[in-house]
Amino acid sequence: MDMKNHLNSESAEPLYRQLAGKLKKEMDDGTFSAGSKLPTENELVETYKVSRVTVRKALDSLTQQGYLERRSGKGTFVAEKKIQRGLSGVIGFTEMCRMMGCVPGSKVIKLSKEYPSEKDAEQLQISEDSQIVVIERVRSADGEPVVIERCKFPEDFLFLMQENLADASLYDLIQRKKNIHFSKSVKTLDIVYATSQEGRFLGVAKGYPLLRIESVVEDSTGAFRYLSKQLCIGDKFKLMV
């Protein structure tokens, strides 16, 4: 037997866990890419010289963990990688991607100075006569668009308009330039449906359901805050409560 397919029957680790670990490693290194079909149960039995029960337990374990999808009548496929996002605390899109082993990207679709709406001014705790910085970007993971992000910052953050925001982390920029660390947020979530323009940006059809996450984000002292609205392709995210 090829040693890379060798499972140790004398190990304290159950064979199905050993097999699940080998299959996961092959998914991580790209041997089995996202969306690809795994060998059949019979082929896995033959390759690894284990029982069908062992194979099924390994596949069930990986399916429960979100690595595989079982499709009735078609077989077992490698699941598309989902970005895990916690609903508590504050974490930027760039950091989320890096934690998941994805390459983050950004395309700026709007950068402007505007006067805030009454609601914006109230949430940002600023005067309606002051201006805000509006940044709208399409965020991507491994080159695939997954989020339209719209951020509104008060005048303290006008320096962002002079920065290159393509493929950049706003949090990294703000921490480096102003030593401000955002650490608290209040979020609201609902489902909306993509407009024609939103669909073009995200590569989905008009009317496609999107997860909308609206946040009021502030630093630990409450001295600095900004507003965020994200339109996410829901099946690309796993929300952690």
Side-chain angles (χ1 to χ4, degrees):
M1 188 198 321
D2 188 336
M3 288 304 295
K4 74 174 183 178
N5 297 331
H6 177 68
L7 301 181
N8 184 1
S9 60
E10 297 181 1
S11 171
E13 184 179 31
L15 288 174
Y16 84 90
R17 288 186 182 173
Q18 294 182 46
L19 177 56
K22 284 185 176 290
L23 293 174
K24 183 179 180 301
K25 183 177 184 299
E26 291 185 323
M27 286 184 273
D28 290 340
D29 68 21
T31 301
F32 297 124
S33 59
S36 66
K37 184 178 180 181
L38 249 59
T40 65
E41 289 185 2
N42 286 338
E43 289 170 334
L44 291 172
V45 166
E46 179 62 28
T47 298
Y48 290 96
K49 307 302 180 188
V50 292
S51 69
R52 185 180 295 275
V53 171
T54 295
V55 169
R56 286 181 176 171
K57 287 183 70 174
L59 297 181
D60 286 344
S61 175
L62 291 171
T63 301
Q64 291 170 8
Q65 295 176 61
Y67 293 107
L68 298 177
E69 294 177 351
R70 314 292 285 273
R71 301 177 189 173
S72 180
K74 294 184 178 180
T76 302
F77 295 79
V78 179
E80 297 288 340
K81 189 180 293 184
K82 292 189 178 183
I83 300 171
Q84 296 187 19
R85 169 164 188 168
L87 292 182
S88 60
V90 176
I91 182 172
F93 180 86
T94 298
E95 186 178 351
M96 278 193 298
C97 282
R98 289 171 179 163
M99 289 170 61
M100 294 300 298
C102 301
V103 177
S106 303
K107 176 184 178 183
V108 179
I109 54 179
K110 182 177 183 179
L111 177 60
S112 64
K113 283 193 297 184
E114 301 177 8
Y115 288 102
S117 67
E118 182 178 351
K119 181 180 178 181
D120 290 342
E122 179 182 353
Q123 290 183 312
L124 289 171
Q125 298 180 355
I126 60 175
S127 164
E128 290 183 47
D129 295 330
S130 60
Q131 289 188 304
I132 60 174
V133 180
V134 179
I135 303 169
E136 193 164 344
R137 300 188 295 173
V138 177
R139 311 304 305 273
S140 62
D142 289 341
E144 182 179 0
V146 292
V147 177
I148 297 173
E149 176 186 76
R150 182 181 178 91
C151 298
K152 298 179 179 180
F153 291 90
E155 286 182 325
D156 305 86
F157 297 87
L158 281 172
F159 74 93
L160 289 172
M161 298 195 67
Q162 309 304 318
E163 300 290 338
N164 179 8
L165 302 181
D167 298 326
S169 165
L170 289 180
Y171 282 179
D172 287 350
L173 276 172
I174 292 168
Q175 288 176 13
R176 188 170 69 251
K177 298 278 187 174
K178 298 294 183 179
N179 196 32
I180 297 172
H181 299 259
F182 292 108
S183 57
K184 298 192 296 183
S185 72
V186 176
K187 299 180 177 70
T188 59
L189 291 79
D190 61 355
I191 300 296
V192 296
Y193 300 94
T195 64
S196 296
Q197 184 180 54
E198 291 163 352
R200 286 195 297 273
F201 285 136
L202 292 174
V204 298
K206 178 183 177 182
Y208 193 92
L210 302 175
L211 174 65
R212 178 169 60 186
I213 304 175
E214 294 187 307
S215 308
V216 179
V217 189
E218 62 183 44
D219 72 346
S220 58
T221 69
F224 298 99
R225 59 172 51 195
Y226 79 95
L227 308 179
S228 168
K229 181 175 78 172
Q230 295 176 314
L231 299 178
C232 314
I233 302 179
D235 55 9
K236 302 295 183 184
F237 283 78
K238 180 188 292 185
L239 297 179
M240 312 296 285
V241 180

